[in-house]
Amino acid sequence: MNEWKKNLRNIEPYVPGEQSKDTDIVKLNANENPYPPSPKAIEAIKSFPAETLRLYPHADATPLKKAIADYYGVGVENVFLGNGSDDVIALSFQAFFNSELPILYPDITYSFYPVWCRLFDIPYETKPLGADFRINPDDYRGKNGGVIIPNPNAPTSICEGDAFIKKLMEYNGGSVVIIDEAYADFSRYSCVKLTKEYENLLVTGTFSKSRSLAGLRIGFAIGSKALISVLEAVKNSYNSYTVDALSIAAGIASVKDTEYFNATIDRIINTRTRLTDELRTLGFTVLDSGANFIFATYEGRNMRDMFEYLKTKKVFIRYFNLPRIDNYVRITVGTDEETDTLLREIKNYLGGK
């Protein structure tokens, strides 16, 4: 073996949902929004002065920070921006999780967390979800190097409220707590208001899901000045220009178009309710979802087999070959037409078995 190869990083990366090259599929495996971005965001992109792309963007993206701050009722100094929420969370791991104690997160959760822990040499411990897939805040009591929890959790889709967050903060006054709210808009609940009460609480979010801007990679965090200033220092030690000028323009337009945003969220919630009800009528167990996806199983049926069957019908959902959830599937909420196709093929599958 060549000597230089011994120094290459050996790490198992995060694996996203399968990306088919076919264009005529029903793609319900990546939690993408089935509806286009705000018309105002699209117009901002179309009217963007392309000749200005020779210039660097605003280093700290203050105009977009202000739009986000106004939306959430916080100060500009309480907002951090990055290249998608994955970038924001990765920077947060480097900024806040520097103790010799392990950080804590659920055993069934976003699978990027252990990747970052291995990449940044952060010790970690997972806490098992209950039999009902709920997170027990009492499991996060005691000394630790930090806590990160998605709310709603992924892939289980379950959302917790104020009482859960407050108990978590009560138990963890000595470490930074990150609440990953990638899907929070679909639950109509956010704990951003609690960042005014708890200086060690950081809330992260994204424009990829509820605002249909996954292709532009806009992520943000909201927290105390103490937390945000450290995040800015870490970012500026790595890459000062994380958000590009086109994303800033489209992001501002998207945040300001509250009417379109709320209408889109309502459409997805209504379709989620319909999909949940129809699957339960067919005999599925579906967890109560606060996200733009559902998590489902069917006792006595092989969910991996159904997943593979649906692929042959060009309907893509997500299957995880992992302990405790290896007979569950995660299904993104699509349009009503996509939902019709999904339900038809699931009925065909069930009828053929």
Side-chain angles (χ1 to χ4, degrees):
M1 181 178 181
N2 292 330
E3 195 68 24
W4 59 269
K5 290 186 177 179
K6 295 179 182 179
N7 295 320
L8 301 182
R9 177 63 67 98
N10 183 17
I11 191 167
E12 185 177 341
Y14 169 76
V15 180
E18 183 177 351
Q19 301 294 317
S20 173
K21 294 180 180 179
D22 292 336
T23 58
D24 60 340
I25 66 169
V26 175
K27 190 170 184 286
L28 304 175
N29 68 341
N31 296 341
E32 294 155 324
N33 196 314
Y35 301 109
S38 156
K40 293 181 180 179
I42 294 173
E43 181 56 35
I45 293 170
K46 288 181 178 179
S47 61
F48 186 85
E51 66 275 7
T52 66
L53 290 176
R54 66 183 180 81
L55 303 172
Y56 283 112
H58 199 294
D60 60 8
T62 299
L64 179 52
K65 282 184 179 178
K66 185 177 187 314
I68 293 172
D70 290 346
Y71 180 82
Y72 284 101
V74 298
V76 174
E77 68 277 9
N78 300 119
V79 179
F80 176 83
L81 285 172
N83 192 231
S85 62
D86 284 343
D87 180 48
V88 172
I89 297 171
L91 290 168
S92 299
F93 270 48
Q94 295 174 78
F96 308 128
F97 295 160
N98 295 296
S99 166
E100 293 181 356
L101 296 171
I103 70 165
L104 309 178
Y105 56 81
D107 64 336
I108 300 171
T109 195
Y110 186 30
S111 54
F112 226 139
Y113 299 159
V115 175
W116 287 318
C117 286
R118 290 191 292 267
L119 183 63
F120 303 135
D121 293 323
I122 297 171
Y124 67 94
E125 223 176 82
T126 61
K127 298 297 182 180
L129 300 183
D132 57 357
F133 291 118
R134 298 285 292 273
I135 300 171
N136 183 354
D138 291 340
D139 292 337
Y140 296 82
R141 193 170 194 166
K143 288 187 176 181
N144 59 67
V147 174
I148 181 164
I149 289 175
N151 193 43
N153 193 15
T156 64
S157 79
I158 296 174
C159 182
E160 304 291 352
D162 270 2
F164 173 89
I165 303 296
K166 288 183 176 182
K167 184 170 283 191
L168 198 65
M169 298 311 299
E170 177 189 335
Y171 292 159
N172 291 281
S175 57
V176 173
V177 175
I178 301 175
I179 302 298
D180 178 355
E181 289 194 344
Y183 301 101
D185 290 325
F186 303 105
S187 71
R188 296 293 192 190
Y189 170 77
S190 172
C191 66
V192 163
K193 61 184 180 295
L194 296 180
T195 61
K196 298 177 181 180
E197 186 176 342
Y198 301 101
E199 192 177 18
N200 60 323
L201 172 62
L202 187 82
V203 180
T204 64
T206 179
F207 281 42
S208 296
K209 311 299 182 182
S210 56
R211 297 191 182 276
S212 305
L213 289 174
L216 286 185
R217 315 305 302 126
I218 304 171
F220 64 93
I222 296 175
S224 65
K225 287 177 65 175
L227 293 182
I228 298 302
S229 62
V230 174
L231 262 180
E232 294 286 359
V234 171
K235 182 202 76 167
N236 291 330
S237 301
Y238 175 68
N239 178 10
S240 296
Y241 300 97
T242 55
V243 182
D244 64 81
L246 190 61
S247 295
I248 292 171
I252 292 169
S254 175
V255 172
K256 290 184 176 181
D257 194 355
T258 55
E259 183 178 356
Y260 181 84
F261 173 75
N262 288 325
T264 301
I265 296 296
D266 285 343
R267 291 178 75 180
I268 291 171
I269 289 174
N270 289 338
T271 304
R272 182 184 72 199
T273 300
R274 175 195 160 209
L275 175 60
T276 298
D277 291 345
E278 295 209 28
L279 286 178
R280 285 173 175 169
T281 298
L282 290 172
F284 284 84
T285 297
V286 184
L287 303 189
D288 291 333
S289 174
N292 69 331
F293 59 88
I294 62 163
F295 199 55
T297 189
Y298 196 124
E299 187 175 354
R301 301 277 187 171
N302 188 315
M303 291 295 96
R304 182 170 190 167
D305 186 50
M306 186 182 81
F307 159 79
E308 296 290 354
Y309 170 84
L310 290 175
K311 277 175 61 176
T312 68
K313 303 301 180 181
K314 296 190 175 183
V315 177
F316 284 63
I317 61 175
R318 191 79 191 266
Y319 171 79
F320 300 90
N321 188 21
L322 296 170
R324 298 185 66 194
I325 59 171
D326 58 356
N327 203 41
Y328 282 78
V329 288
R330 191 195 71 191
I331 305 173
T332 304
V333 178
T335 63
D336 285 327
E337 292 76 18
E338 290 172 329
T339 302
D340 289 340
T341 301
L342 168 72
L343 289 169
R344 182 180 68 246
E345 295 301 345
I346 287 177
K347 289 173 184 177
N348 289 339
Y349 170 79
L350 295 175
K353 295 292 177 178

